[in-house]
Amino acid sequence: MPPRLSPDIYIQGIRQGDRIILSRAITLIESSLPKDQALASEVIQGILPYIGNSLRIGITGVPGVGKSTFIEAFGNHITSLGKKLAVLTIDPSSQRSYGSILGDKTRMETLVNQPLAYVRPSPSGSSLGGVARSTRQSILLCEAAGYEVIFIETVGVGQSETTVHGMVDFFLLLMLAGAGDELQGIKRGIMEMADAIAITKADGSNIMAARQARASYQNALHLMPPTESGWIPPVHTCSALTGDGIKELWQMLEEYVNLSNQNRFLHKKRQDQNLNWLHETIRQELETAFYQNPSTKQQIPHIEQSISSGEITALSGAQKLLQTYFTHYSTSHRSSDGDS
Amino acid sequence: MPPRLSPDIYIQGIRQGDRIILSRAITLIESSLPKDQALASEVIQGILPYIGNSLRIGITGVPGVGKSTFIEAFGNHITSLGKKLAVLTIDPSSQRSYGSILGDKTRMETLVNQPLAYVRPSPSGSSLGGVARSTRQSILLCEAAGYEVIFIETVGVGQSETTVHGMVDFFLLLMLAGAGDELQGIKRGIMEMADAIAITKADGSNIMAARQARASYQNALHLMPPTESGWIPPVHTCSALTGDGIKELWQMLEEYVNLSNQNRFLHKKRQDQNLNWLHETIRQELETAFYQNPSTKQQIPHIEQSISSGEITALSGAQKLLQTYFTHYSTSHRSSDGDS
């Protein structure tokens, strides 16, 4: 890891759009060392006046849906409009090696070479909570660096979609046309989180199937409860190969921004997301302190066993563990995150 | 409140199917007094060998869908097959008066008068966490009393559906035929939790609309990801008035039980639900200790204000609160739930 800089150097570098400094600042906030976290807090505090001016877009879809090529095509369109774009990835399940981090970067070759685009691969091997924390802060750093559109890419198969949904303005679900098999990998509930669905690979012999899929999903979404914003999630088809439908997706996002600025929904959504972030962080830290406590940790397997075999209820198991925790608490709690 | 009994009296009474004792035991587990909770733990521990032999069915739908009349019609069919049925209600939002508890009971007049049915209204004025805890334990008490089918009714507009979904074998969503307006009250995500949808009030001039709605929802569900159990959620129409479709719903439940016993899914689901209950209880108790802590409590409004106005990030706000909590912790933590 490169040596640490002073908070002011980070802040100035970020503000001047220096990508090297931005990358080093993101590396800093990804660090779990208490010293780094304290420094990261100062940097974040310093850039707070310059955040919030981007459109934050979550993009998800199962492997095979063509997420990278889609992001590349869509990203190139956005930069062609003169807009600065940052691409962040959230993928807590992957234990990426250094090699595959490179792989991740080269996935989006043309985008990486765009002067207006900044691509940052996923931090490696962390818990979802850790990755979420880094990503939320990376968004702020990118905003302070002047990025106007931020993609947060996630993999479409697990809990991370809910997490990403909680930090973006717009949640885009990529789907394949087909007989339903493509849904195997998508977790139930994700479709109802989508602000739009884009059917990818709508080109060549696949066009008819994509159009049929669009009609079906449009009907399905129509049957779902309306969103809080009053926005009716549309279904688009697009092709990264031919470029069809890409422009229309960006127009759709502009419509969304207009609507949700007009009715103040975007402002409210971000305020709610911030308060959720507060309480979510508290929950995670309380649980970490509990589950990392040595006395608690030791008892859990036995308690879980007794519950699974029906000897005790989950409630009485929880009460036993909590009693242990609160009794053994005073000497052993962690302090690494208390130094903000 | 009637005087408390000894654990053995509760246990024997419940096992003998004594409704008065069962009701008093449920009242006991609903109590938040530490002494009552300790006694409740003993009762629950005593009935553990006799639990698990029911089909637990969650039933939800917005007000106006005809939930009470549906439950009455469906319940009467089930008791007509010679099966013992218990109906529990989970509705944390309502602050029911004694008067409306009576109202709740008389809602299901014919069912209340069935010797094979037991109807228990919702506990009044608690948090969702408290209501969930009571209901989970009430299910166990009803099972020990020999009830073979248990309905857990919920109101269809909020967080309680997710909670109920986490404690039942089967989740049934009631819907009205119509142009989509009926969806206004349903929270997004609930449709994807459903193991089946029943379109109610399919009678008279409403039959055609109900059949059309069935076809539409069937298509919509078909587009959703498959359930973990391999079960394909069907859509039925029914009428509490004419009785049409009621018998078929019970046959569907029998099919579900057959399938999920065969593939062992039901066993796995219950084990998972029990472990979730463990960790959920731990989370709730940790949060209660945190948010009830006087020093924490005092700071929260100020911190939330600073976050909303953009002075600090949610992360740094959380760190401040956690530092206060962990510093002031040792003398002030609660002990009311540690005595299992």
Side-chain angles (χ1 to χ4, degrees):
Chain A
M1 235 180 228
R4 298 302 175 227
L5 309 172
S6 78
D8 281 350
I9 304 276
Y10 283 115
I11 295 164
Q12 280 170 31
I14 290 166
R15 289 288 295 145
Q16 287 159 8
D18 182 329
R19 287 152 178 260
I20 310 286
I21 299 281
L22 175 62
S23 293
R24 285 177 66 175
I26 293 180
T27 302
L28 179 72
I29 58 142
E30 285 171 359
S31 164
S32 57
L33 297 175
K35 210 178 136 191
D36 286 343
Q37 289 197 9
L39 181 55
S41 278
E42 282 189 76
V43 175
I44 295 285
Q45 192 61 40
I47 54 113
L48 279 191
Y50 315 112
I51 66 157
N53 298 313
S54 82
L55 178 62
R56 306 163 182 173
I57 306 168
I59 300 180
T60 195
V62 293
V65 78
K67 210 153 53 246
S68 300
T69 46
F70 171 80
I71 287 176
E72 203 161 38
F74 195 33
N76 279 319
H77 175 68
I78 289 169
T79 55
S80 79
L81 301 173
K83 293 190 182 297
K84 285 181 74 179
L85 168 76
V87 181
L88 308 173
T89 301
I90 191 163
D91 181 7
S93 59
S94 75
Q95 304 280 331
R96 288 166 197 266
S97 67
Y98 185 67
S100 60
I101 287 182
L102 283 178
D104 199 36
K105 273 214 177 182
T106 52
R107 273 194 316 160
M108 301 176 193
E109 232 167 45
T110 64
L111 200 57
V112 169
N113 292 327
Q114 282 281 357
L116 290 176
Y118 173 77
V119 179
R120 172 79 183 190
S122 171
S124 61
S126 292
S127 68
L128 178 56
V131 172
R133 167 193 291 218
S134 309
T135 306
R136 282 178 189 279
Q137 294 187 98
S138 299
I139 291 172
L140 305 184
L141 294 175
C142 290
E143 287 179 344
Y147 290 94
E148 299 156 274
V149 180
I150 301 177
F151 289 171
I152 296 98
E153 180 199 8
T154 178
V155 87
V157 290
Q159 195 54 32
S160 55
E161 283 63 45
T162 311
T163 304
V164 169
H165 184 255
M167 60 176 80
V168 297
D169 304 319
F170 193 94
F171 195 71
L172 177 64
L173 176 62
L174 304 182
M175 299 280 258
L176 283 168
D181 292 346
E182 74 277 10
L183 286 168
Q184 293 291 346
I186 292 215
K187 224 184 130 215
R188 288 178 78 83
I190 290 179
M191 207 192 291
E192 286 188 56
M193 295 195 304
D195 293 303
I197 291 177
I199 316 277
T200 57
K201 303 185 181 177
D203 43 46
S205 59
N206 208 24
I207 287 185
M208 284 311 294
R211 284 188 191 152
Q212 278 167 14
R214 179 178 56 189
S216 302
Y217 284 116
Q218 195 77 73
N219 285 339
L221 290 184
H222 183 70
L223 285 168
M224 288 183 188
T227 60
E228 205 192 334
S229 58
W231 172 256
I232 298 158
V235 184
H236 286 253
T237 56
C238 65
S239 165
L241 199 65
T242 64
D244 285 351
I246 297 291
K247 198 174 64 186
E248 288 76 7
L249 277 176
W250 179 252
Q251 285 164 356
M252 169 198 71
L253 282 165
E254 289 186 318
E255 280 167 37
Y256 177 80
V257 170
N258 284 341
L259 173 78
S260 55
N261 277 333
Q262 262 169 35
N263 65 15
R264 300 278 292 159
F265 176 74
L266 201 52
H267 178 74
K268 183 183 172 294
K269 187 174 188 175
R270 285 191 175 184
Q271 281 217 330
D272 290 349
Q273 285 177 342
N274 276 331
L275 293 182
N276 286 343
W277 183 14
L278 169 74
H279 297 293
E280 185 60 18
T281 305
I282 288 167
R283 186 183 69 71
Q284 281 166 9
E285 293 296 324
L286 293 175
E287 288 187 341
T288 303
F290 179 87
Y291 288 104
Q292 296 301 315
N293 180 290
S295 342
T296 316
K297 217 169 173 173
Q298 198 194 341
Q299 275 195 47
I300 288 180
H302 174 67
I303 296 272
E304 289 192 336
Q305 175 58 39
S306 306
I307 293 168
S308 292
S309 66
E311 286 160 61
I312 59 170
T313 61
L315 178 63
S316 101
Q319 286 169 338
K320 279 199 178 68
L321 286 170
L322 287 158
Q323 195 171 30
T324 305
Y325 175 64
F326 284 128
T327 309
H328 289 81
Y329 179 78
S330 51
T331 52
S332 57
H333 81 80
R334 61 205 275 279
S335 59
S336 67
D337 281 310
D339 46 2
S340 67
Chain B
M1 236 179 224
R4 300 302 175 227
L5 309 172
S6 78
D8 281 350
I9 304 277
Y10 283 115
I11 295 163
Q12 280 171 30
I14 290 166
R15 290 288 294 146
Q16 286 159 9
D18 182 329
R19 287 152 177 257
I20 309 285
I21 300 280
L22 174 61
S23 294
R24 286 177 67 174
I26 293 180
T27 302
L28 179 72
I29 58 140
E30 285 171 359
S31 164
S32 56
L33 298 174
K35 209 178 135 192
D36 286 343
Q37 290 197 6
L39 180 54
S41 280
E42 282 189 76
V43 175
I44 295 287
Q45 193 60 40
I47 55 114
L48 279 189
Y50 314 111
I51 67 157
N53 297 314
S54 82
L55 178 60
R56 305 164 182 173
I57 305 169
I59 300 180
T60 196
V62 294
V65 78
K67 213 152 52 247
S68 300
T69 45
F70 170 79
I71 287 177
E72 202 161 39
F74 196 32
N76 278 319
H77 175 68
I78 290 168
T79 55
S80 80
L81 300 172
K83 293 190 184 296
K84 283 182 78 181
L85 167 75
V87 180
L88 307 173
T89 302
I90 191 163
D91 182 6
S93 59
S94 76
Q95 305 280 333
R96 290 167 196 266
S97 67
Y98 185 66
S100 60
I101 288 183
L102 282 179
D104 199 37
K105 275 213 172 178
T106 53
R107 273 195 315 161
M108 300 176 193
E109 231 168 47
T110 64
L111 201 56
V112 169
N113 293 326
Q114 281 280 357
L116 290 175
Y118 174 76
V119 179
R120 173 77 183 192
S122 170
S124 62
S126 292
S127 68
L128 179 56
V131 173
R133 168 194 288 217
S134 306
T135 308
R136 282 179 189 280
Q137 295 186 98
S138 299
I139 291 172
L140 306 183
L141 294 176
C142 289
E143 287 178 345
Y147 289 95
E148 299 157 274
V149 180
I150 301 177
F151 288 171
I152 296 97
E153 179 199 7
T154 179
V155 86
V157 290
Q159 195 54 31
S160 56
E161 282 65 43
T162 312
T163 305
V164 169
H165 184 254
M167 61 177 79
V168 298
D169 303 320
F170 192 95
F171 195 70
L172 177 64
L173 175 60
L174 304 183
M175 299 280 257
L176 283 169
D181 292 344
E182 75 278 9
L183 286 168
Q184 293 291 345
I186 291 217
K187 226 185 127 214
R188 288 178 78 83
I190 290 180
M191 207 191 292
E192 286 188 58
M193 295 195 303
D195 293 303
I197 291 177
I199 317 276
T200 56
K201 303 186 183 177
D203 43 47
S205 58
N206 207 24
I207 288 186
M208 285 310 294
R211 283 190 192 150
Q212 278 167 16
R214 179 178 59 190
S216 304
Y217 284 116
Q218 194 77 71
N219 285 339
L221 290 184
H222 183 71
L223 286 167
M224 289 183 187
T227 60
E228 204 192 334
S229 59
W231 172 257
I232 298 157
V235 184
H236 286 254
T237 56
C238 65
S239 164
L241 198 64
T242 64
D244 285 352
I246 297 291
K247 198 174 64 186
E248 288 77 6
L249 278 175
W250 180 251
Q251 284 165 356
M252 169 199 72
L253 281 165
E254 288 186 319
E255 281 168 35
Y256 177 81
V257 171
N258 284 341
L259 172 78
S260 54
N261 277 332
Q262 261 170 34
N263 66 14
R264 299 280 290 159
F265 175 75
L266 200 52
H267 178 73
K268 182 183 171 297
K269 186 174 188 176
R270 286 191 173 183
Q271 282 217 329
D272 290 349
Q273 285 177 340
N274 275 331
L275 292 181
N276 286 343
W277 183 15
L278 171 72
H279 297 293
E280 184 61 18
T281 305
I282 288 167
R283 185 181 71 66
Q284 282 165 9
E285 294 295 323
L286 293 176
E287 288 187 341
T288 303
F290 179 86
Y291 288 104
Q292 295 301 316
N293 181 289
S295 344
T296 316
K297 217 170 173 174
Q298 198 194 342
Q299 275 196 48
I300 287 180
H302 174 68
I303 297 270
E304 289 191 337
Q305 176 56 38
S306 307
I307 293 168
S308 291
S309 65
E311 286 159 59
I312 59 170
T313 61
L315 179 61
S316 100
Q319 286 169 338
K320 279 198 179 69
L321 285 171
L322 287 158
Q323 196 173 27
T324 303
Y325 175 65
F326 284 129
T327 310
H328 290 81
Y329 179 79
S330 50
T331 52
S332 57
H333 80 79
R334 62 204 274 280
S335 60
S336 68
D337 281 311
D339 46 1
S340 68

